[in-house]
Amino acid sequence: MGIISIINSIATTVFAHLVNNDSCDTVNSGYQCNTSISHSWGQYSPYFTVPSKISNAEPPFCSITFVQSLNRHGARDPTASKTAKYSATVAQIHSNTTSYGPGFEFIESYQYTLGADQLTSFGQQEMINSGFKFFQRYQQLATNNTPFFRSSGENRVVMSAENFIQGYHAAKVIALGDDTSSYKPLVLSEEKGVNNTLDQSECTNFENDDYYASFAVDAQAAWLSVFAPNITARLNENLQGAGLTDNQTIYMMDLCPFNTIASHVGVISEWCTLFTPNEWKSYSYYNTLGKYYGYGDGNPLGPTQGVGFANELIARLTNKPVVDRTSTNSTIDALETTFPLGLPMYADFSHGSDMTAMFSALGLYNDTSPLSTHTIQDTDETNGYSASYTIPFAARAYIEKMTCLIQPYELVRVILNDRVVPLQNCGADSLGRCKLDAFVDSLSFARSSGHWDKCFE
Ligand SMILES: *[C@@H]1O[C@H](CO)[C@@H](O)[C@H](O)[C@H]1NC(C)=O
Ligand SMILES: *[C@@H]1O[C@H](CO)[C@@H](O)[C@H](O)[C@H]1NC(C)=O
Ligand SMILES: *[C@@H]1O[C@H](CO)[C@@H](O)[C@H](O)[C@H]1NC(C)=O
Ligand SMILES: *[C@@H]1O[C@H](CO)[C@@H](O)[C@H](O)[C@H]1NC(C)=O
Ligand SMILES: *[C@@H]1O[C@H](CO)[C@@H](O)[C@H](O)[C@H]1NC(C)=O
Ligand SMILES: *[C@@H]1O[C@H](CO)[C@@H](O)[C@H](O)[C@H]1NC(C)=O
Ligand SMILES: *[C@@H]1O[C@H](CO)[C@@H](O)[C@H](O)[C@H]1NC(C)=O
Ligand SMILES: *[C@@H]1O[C@H](CO)[C@@H](O)[C@H](O)[C@H]1NC(C)=O
């Protein structure tokens, strides 16, 4: 057995998802199992390739010259505060339910064993697959260049970056037979008081003032009161005595994605069977509202928190030093070793809420009318905005620059989870692209610090 075939057979073992195209979970298309359920989990959906109206292939007579990829960590356990609530809800059911209705019997013997905050093994595989796909998509650039990797400091994010690198390296070995590059992400601390564009926490009023939190809380409460009462009634009918509230209906629904991704290969959980596809759509929208009004255009300080990243992106796209007075660290951004300019490939690793703020700082949804809190807005009406389309687990944005035979200027486009998101404020062409200069001009919000002053006054 030659070295290449040995490597290939190792890769075959590691990348079960890749080589098995019959599986409903593959490197190229992500999680396509039980899609009428699993694509409606908002930010708890595992990455899946999002339908795109515009082809995301390299356009004819163009060549991609630059890519910034921005990645959410892979699937994780519930956050610590949520895991406590889920566990209490299950305990409440167990202690007070007198009879379990048809389809609900499994709950009687269900043991709550989910952990907190950590990447799951399913999530690790997602990131390996993501790095693999990234190399394959950008092989032209990747053959002679090493990406610059940065990761926010929380354990699951750093581990996600490392898994991504593992997949990237494996794909490179398979394609080129060798890979002697060494990769190590620059880790940006999430400690308080540290400026970190991949994990915002320095906008004081946003962190401490309930006024800013109220936008998401109110939007979700309004939508919950529309769609949840009937579901809660059904749950209580089938779990006599449990006394569940509408909020706990959300926890019951959360148990479906979290038990699914706790399974090594993402076997759909029994909790998912308790709800209909339409109910999952309502749930997805509930999660969408939380992100949109929490960190996106629906929050007065949402986009502002993505400004630091947007200004770093401008620096990378234009090959000029960072100009920013918000969340960047000027020490880090001034050094060639920690913020190199002029490279064709960058990969950053962050969190879903932070990425939501970054996308809004880039104006991707600036022309989208505010999301309704009493009826589901279709993703066509929202330029493709929804939590499951933008920040599923292992989400990846690709911000590309290209040069083309006909146009005498550089073009920019944005691809979120394989969907081309047509740029809104810079005169995009039919392929959703803007001239680099027009794109940078359109980022005046970021270039003028957004509403950063409101973080402190
Ligand atoms: C799996 O599908 C991808 C994309 O369609 C294709 O490039 C690849 O060759 C397929 N792999 C196998 C083992 O069939
Ligand atoms: C998920 O999909 C599989 C295969 O199509 C099917 O057997 C199963 O019943 C589905 N599960 C749910 C909860 O819909
Ligand atoms: C169970 O029911 C009892 C009596 O109705 C009530 O006092 C108790 O709070 C309930 N337990 C939980 C965990 O809700
Ligand atoms: C900026 O980065 C430097 C180098 O990593 C670090 O020593 C310093 O504490 C950081 N300062 C802030 C405010 O983030
Ligand atoms: C809730 O149930 C009532 C009575 O069956 C029905 O009229 C109403 O349309 C339902 N609401 C929703 C949001 O499904
Ligand atoms: C439901 O959850 C929301 C958001 O966490 C909270 O503001 C509200 O007080 C909760 N309602 C009840 C009845 O517990
Ligand atoms: C960190 O951010 C604050 C607030 O924008 C800024 O005043 C400070 O200069 C920054 N520190 C560094 C090292 O860039
Ligand atoms: C959105 O567009 C408005 C109107 O053009 C502009 O004033 C605002 O700065 C933009 N916001 C962002 C985040 O791009």
Side-chain angles (χ1 to χ4, degrees):
M1 216 161 149
I3 182 77
I4 297 298
S5 60
I6 290 172
I7 287 164
N8 270 322
S9 76
I10 293 169
T12 305
T13 321
V14 176
F15 300 101
H17 298 336
L18 174 73
V19 293
N20 181 4
N21 278 357
D22 296 334
S23 159
C24 57
D25 186 13
T26 64
V27 169
N28 273 330
S29 308
Y31 196 77
Q32 301 290 345
C33 315
N34 303 75
T35 57
S36 63
I37 298 173
S38 70
H39 291 185
S40 299
W41 293 339
Q43 66 276 15
Y44 307 138
S45 285
Y47 155 77
F48 58 93
T49 199
V50 172
S52 186
K53 296 194 165 157
I54 300 173
S55 165
N56 67 24
E58 192 170 70
F61 309 112
C62 296
S63 78
I64 292 165
T65 55
F66 168 100
V67 59
Q68 158 80 61
S69 107
L70 175 61
N71 302 272
R72 185 185 182 205
H73 57 76
R76 58 156 167 76
D77 287 324
T79 56
S81 65
K82 285 290 180 62
T83 219
K85 287 173 171 152
Y86 302 156
S87 163
T89 298
V90 170
Q92 176 180 332
I93 293 171
H94 283 163
S95 65
N96 285 8
T97 300
T98 50
S99 77
Y100 292 81
F104 288 69
E105 301 90 343
F106 75 93
I107 298 175
E108 190 167 8
S109 58
Y110 172 80
Q111 305 262 346
Y112 187 82
T113 55
L114 302 176
D117 291 317
Q118 300 303 321
L119 200 60
T120 66
S121 64
F122 175 83
Q124 290 198 279
Q125 184 69 51
E126 282 189 294
M127 296 312 295
I128 292 172
N129 291 359
S130 182
F132 202 101
K133 179 163 170 162
F134 184 65
F135 175 85
Q136 290 196 319
R137 178 172 170 87
Y138 297 104
Q139 185 166 342
Q140 301 276 46
L141 294 176
T143 299
N144 296 315
N145 296 289
T146 301
F148 184 75
F149 294 101
R150 283 194 310 184
S151 173
S152 194
E154 189 168 355
N155 197 308
R156 65 172 177 267
V157 186
V158 176
M159 202 187 261
S160 290
E162 285 165 353
N163 289 141
F164 180 99
I165 286 171
Q166 227 181 312
Y168 182 89
H169 168 78
K172 193 167 174 185
V173 169
I174 289 171
L176 305 175
D178 194 14
D179 180 19
T180 54
S181 310
S182 77
Y183 311 102
K184 210 169 157 19
L186 175 74
V187 175
L188 303 179
S189 162
E190 294 191 4
E191 295 291 303
K192 258 206 112 25
V194 174
N195 298 7
N196 177 350
T197 52
L198 301 178
D199 176 61
Q200 293 92 33
S201 59
E202 297 309 300
C203 178
T204 308
N205 289 345
F206 181 85
E207 299 299 322
N208 301 334
D209 188 340
D210 286 346
Y211 169 73
Y212 292 104
S214 72
F215 287 82
V217 170
D218 294 352
Q220 286 192 307
W223 176 235
L224 189 71
S225 74
V226 173
F227 87 92
N230 285 6
I231 308 178
T232 307
R234 191 182 71 240
L235 295 179
N236 284 322
E237 237 169 71
N238 284 281
L239 297 167
Q240 289 287 331
L244 298 170
T245 64
D246 288 342
N247 276 356
Q248 287 178 311
T249 288
I250 296 295
Y251 303 155
M252 298 284 276
M253 296 184 90
D254 288 346
L255 285 172
C256 153
F258 282 111
N259 279 292
T260 299
I261 62 184
S263 139
H264 185 62
V265 290
V267 175
I268 202 97
S269 150
E270 268 179 303
W271 289 92
C272 307
T273 62
L274 301 179
F275 308 96
T276 66
N278 264 336
E279 290 170 351
W280 287 115
K281 285 204 173 70
S282 295
Y283 168 83
S284 207
Y285 196 64
Y286 175 86
N287 284 330
T288 291
L289 290 173
K291 292 303 173 188
Y292 181 84
Y293 286 101
Y295 305 90
D297 289 278
N299 191 291
L301 280 177
T304 292
Q305 298 190 68
V307 160
F309 176 82
N311 285 327
E312 288 181 335
L313 176 67
I314 292 173
R316 287 170 169 179
L317 285 168
T318 58
N319 199 8
K320 291 192 181 122
V322 177
V323 180
D324 178 72
R325 288 182 311 280
T326 68
S327 61
T328 48
N329 180 324
S330 54
T331 310
I332 288 179
D333 282 1
L335 290 176
E336 169 69 20
T337 45
T338 49
F339 200 83
L341 289 170
L343 300 181
M345 298 179 87
Y346 296 91
D348 287 333
F349 296 83
S350 176
H351 299 273
S353 298
D354 298 295
M355 285 166 63
T356 299
M358 295 174 203
F359 298 149
S360 56
L362 295 176
L364 298 186
Y365 305 104
N366 193 2
D367 276 356
T368 301
S369 42
L371 298 193
S372 164
T373 59
H374 55 268
T375 177
I376 298 181
Q377 239 151 302
D378 192 83
T379 46
D380 283 341
E381 299 165 25
T382 62
N383 203 31
Y385 182 79
S386 75
S388 65
Y389 273 19
T390 54
I391 51 158
F393 286 128
R396 68 289 307 259
Y398 303 143
I399 298 143
E400 298 177 343
K401 241 186 354 173
M402 63 185 77
T403 54
C404 303
L405 200 58
I406 308 159
Q407 293 94 338
Y409 37 75
E410 294 180 284
L411 290 161
V412 176
R413 71 173 171 180
V414 173
I415 297 171
L416 291 194
N417 303 308
D418 310 323
R419 177 187 177 108
V420 176
V421 178
L423 297 173
Q424 288 190 335
N425 304 315
C426 48
D429 67 10
S430 62
L431 299 181
R433 308 171 301 180
C434 283
K435 293 181 190 177
L436 172 61
D437 292 351
F439 179 63
V440 173
D441 280 351
S442 79
L443 301 181
S444 58
F445 180 84
R447 288 185 288 106
S448 59
S449 306
H451 303 308
W452 190 250
D453 50 341
K454 293 209 173 73
C455 293
F456 308 101
E457 73 197 11

